[in-house]
Amino acid sequence: MLSLLHAPPGKNRPPARHDPAWRGRLAWAVVALVLLWPMLVLTEFKPWLLLAPDALKPSLRFLADFVPPRWDAEFLALVARETWRTVAIATAGLTLALVLAVPLALLSVRVLSVSSLTGPMAPLPALVRLLVRWLLVVLRSVPELIWALVFVRVVGLGPTAGVLAIALTFAGMLGKVYAEILDSAEPHAAASLLRNGSGRLQAFLYALLPQNAAELTSYTVYRWECAIRSSAVLGFVGAGGLGQQMDASMKMFEGAEVATMLLVFMALVWLADRISAWLRQRLA
């Protein structure tokens, strides 16, 4: 007792029995609820409708049809063909996206600007960088589903619309993230090369790319995984692939067929994850 009385302030103090920051946490929780509630009202969020008898019975019956999935040879051959088409749409779309995204990203990266080595970027390069960034905003601000609906009306139903839709939207996403990754890299090596007369491409290949290869590759493979999912969604508007087949199965309430295709999607996502991990290990 005497030791506690003679101890300096703040020492030998018994531990607090309550979280000293609880008032702040509670205040932020209340603020979040106040902000979230109008959004829930605006969206007419009514999850209890899922439990209504007229909605619950058909849903449970449809889900019960998932077991067992359909495994006969004829359907598996159809799924294999549509899976290959889905992967082809995603891969072709992402390849076209890379063709657009890489040069746009290199044009918008500040680290590769020669004029910024000695101070602020010159007006013309700054204007080009700004225009390229706006173009990337435009490309990624339009969802691939909207692009697909536009291209379906231009080129007709089929995978071409899906490939073009993925290419435009993903080019905007890839270009933005590539530029941010490269701009956050250590600039010394790139600046040294530029000061000694190297071009932007040489500075990128020999300074920025070795530093960021693992991160760029990981993000690219992740986008390929997203492209596979997007190509499935685009199938619902006539772009072909597994999505179109799943749309037909759902309209016919064929739960076993839907379950088989969902398992295929899970396998594709797992495969993309394994490829990403393998590439990161190889590039580390």
Side-chain angles (χ1 to χ4, degrees):
M1 185 65 182
L2 286 176
S3 63
L4 287 177
L5 291 175
H6 294 288
K11 286 194 173 181
N12 297 326
R13 183 177 295 172
R17 302 181 63 181
H18 302 287
D19 182 3
W22 71 272
R23 289 186 178 85
R25 300 181 200 279
L26 180 62
W28 280 113
V30 171
V31 169
L33 286 175
V34 169
L35 294 176
L36 181 61
W37 182 252
M39 299 179 192
L40 293 176
V41 173
L42 183 64
T43 56
E44 299 180 0
F45 183 63
K46 300 174 181 176
W48 53 88
L49 292 179
L50 294 172
L51 302 177
D54 55 343
L56 188 60
K57 284 184 179 179
S59 300
L60 291 177
R61 190 164 54 248
F62 181 62
L63 292 175
D65 290 340
F66 278 36
V67 183
R70 186 174 171 185
W71 295 118
D72 60 272
E74 181 185 0
F75 183 68
L76 287 181
L78 173 65
V79 169
R81 186 172 63 250
E82 296 304 324
T83 301
W84 175 245
R85 184 171 295 172
T86 298
V87 174
I89 293 171
T91 307
L94 191 69
T95 304
L96 285 178
L98 285 170
V99 171
L100 290 173
V102 171
L104 292 177
L106 295 183
L107 284 173
S108 65
V109 172
R110 183 182 178 84
V111 179
L112 294 177
S113 172
V114 177
S115 65
S116 66
L117 293 175
T118 56
M121 192 180 292
L124 182 58
L127 178 61
V128 172
R129 180 172 181 263
L130 184 62
L131 292 176
V132 169
R133 296 224 166 208
W134 282 353
L135 177 59
L136 293 175
V137 170
V138 171
L139 289 176
R140 70 175 183 273
S141 62
V142 180
E144 57 268 34
L145 189 61
I146 305 300
W147 284 122
L149 289 171
V150 172
F151 286 122
V152 161
R153 281 155 180 76
V154 176
V155 300
L157 296 173
T160 303
V163 171
L164 293 173
I166 290 174
L168 291 182
T169 302
F170 280 54
M173 296 176 184
L174 290 170
K176 175 184 183 294
V177 177
Y178 285 173
E180 290 181 352
I181 291 173
L182 297 176
D183 264 335
S184 63
E186 166 57 47
H188 180 71
S192 298
L193 288 174
L194 292 173
R195 283 195 179 96
N196 286 283
S198 297
R200 296 171 68 96
L201 189 59
Q202 287 82 7
F204 166 69
L205 291 175
Y206 295 106
L208 295 181
L209 185 58
Q211 293 182 50
N212 303 282
E215 192 174 1
L216 292 171
T217 304
S218 177
Y219 183 73
T220 304
V221 176
Y222 168 69
R223 273 295 150 200
W224 179 65
E225 176 189 322
C226 295
I228 290 174
R229 289 197 294 269
S230 294
S231 64
V233 174
L234 298 179
F236 283 79
V237 296
L242 271 179
Q244 192 165 342
Q245 182 59 40
M246 184 176 288
D247 181 40
S249 297
M250 293 183 76
K251 286 177 179 174
M252 298 298 292
F253 293 98
E254 294 288 351
E257 296 181 0
V258 175
T260 303
M261 287 181 276
L262 288 177
L263 290 174
V264 170
F265 275 123
M266 293 178 193
L268 290 175
V269 171
W270 175 83
L271 177 64
D273 188 57
R274 292 295 86 204
I275 291 174
S276 177
W278 180 76
L279 287 173
R280 283 199 305 271
Q281 288 178 353
R282 298 284 294 179
L283 295 172

